[in-house]
Amino acid sequence: MKVMKFGGVSLGTSEGINKVKNIIGDEAQPVIIVVSALYGVTEQLLQAADYAVSANKKYELIFDTLQNQHYKIIEETIDSQDVKLNLYEEIQLLFEDLKNILRGVYLIGDLSQKSSDKIVSYGEKFSSLILSKIIPNAQLYDSTEFIKTTKQFNKHIPDIPLSNKLIKEHLQNTRNVAIVPGFIATSRDEDDITNLGRGGSDYTASIIAAALDASVLEIWTDVDGFMTADPKIIQSAYVIEELSYIEAIELSNFGAKVIYPPTIFPVYHKNIPIRVRNSFNPSSKGTLI
Ligand code: ADP
Ligand code: ASP
Ligand code: MG
C-alpha cells in the first residue's frame, strides 16, 4: 500500500485540486492520502488568533476570507448539488465552532497554547473534509484518533508506539481511498488537540507509512523533487535524482523546506523509500530517497 501526502502548495486552487484528483484516480486502491490545509490557511489561522487576542477586529475579516476561500473551492470542484449541500452542512458547523473560539479569544484577551493549537487545527479539518467529497471512493478518517502526542521539554512530540498501534487499528483494513488530515493530533493524556509542528503533514504521512509497512511514501508538492537549493531563491537549482536517507536528513536540517526534517526517521527505520513528486508535473520522476 502507498501513502501519498499532498501539501498546501498543491491544494491552492481548484485547478491544483483537480490535478490531485487525477493523480489519486490513477492509483491502485487501497491508498492512504494525507492532506495539508489549503494553501496559506495555517498562516491565516495563526494571524486571526493573533488579531483576536490583541482585541483587533481584523480577525473577523480573516475569518470571512478563509470561509470564502473554502466555499469557492467547493463551488468550483463539486458538481452534485446533493454532495454540495451535505458538505456545506458539515463544514458550516466547523466554521461556526472556529468563529466562536476566535470570539472567545477576542473577548477574554487570552490565547493559550491549547487554544492556538485548536484554532490552527481547522485548516486540515476543512481541507480533508472537502477532499473527501471531491475524490471518488474516498473515506474520511480523523487523525486525532490515532496520531497521539506526548510532551517533551514543553513541545508536543508523537508517541510513536501508541500511534503505531492506533494507526493499525484504524487504517489497516482500508479498502478504497483513505483521506487523512495531516499535521493534527491529540495529546495522549488529556486528549487535547495538538499538532506535529509547522510543515508536520509530511511527518503524519511518514508515521502512517511506517506503521502500515507501506511500499512507498510519496510527498507531492510544487517542485520536481528535492533540489540542490530552493528554486525560488537560486534559479540554477536542479533536481537531485537520488539521495540517501542521511543526505536527505542533512539537507532538510539545513533548511530544504521541501521535507519537514523529522519525516525521514519513521520510514528510514523501516527502509521504506520516499519519493518527492510534483503534482503540477506528474510525469516527472521526482527524487527517490
Ligand atoms: P508543501 O505545501 O507541499 O508542504 P512546502 O512549501 O512545504 O510545500 O515545500 C515546497 C517548497 O520547498 C518548494 O516550493 C520550494 O520553494 C521549497 N524548497 C526549499 N528548499 C528546497 C529544495 N532543496 N528542493 C526543493 N524545494 C525546496
Ligand atoms: N498546514 C500545516 C502548516 O502549514 C502543516 C503542513 O502544511 O504540513 O504548517
Ligand atoms: Mg511542507
Side-chain angles (χ1 to χ4, degrees), residues 6 24 41 78 88 90 101 112 122 128 131 146 160 166 170 204 209 214 217 223-224 248 271 278 289:
F6 293 89
I24 297 171
V41 167
I78 298 176
Y88 275 126
E90 284 186 63
I101 295 166
S112 63
Y122 282 90
S128 57
L131 263 291
F146 47 81
I160 296 287
L166 294 170
H170 283 80
T204 305
L217 166 63
V223 283
D224 276 343
N271 211 21
N278 188 349
I289 301 171

Side-chain angles (χ1 to χ4, degrees), residues 5-9 35-43 45-46 120 123-124 127 182-184 195-204 257 260:
K5 177 261 174 177
F6 293 89
V9 294
V35 293
S36 297
L38 302 189
Y39 182 71
V41 167
T42 303
E43 211 55 49
L45 286 166
L46 290 169
V120 83
E124 272 71 10
S127 65
F183 178 60
I184 56 178
N195 61 62
L196 303 183
R198 294 302 309 277
S201 293
D202 298 341
Y203 199 12
T204 305
K257 188 191 171 203
Y260 181 51

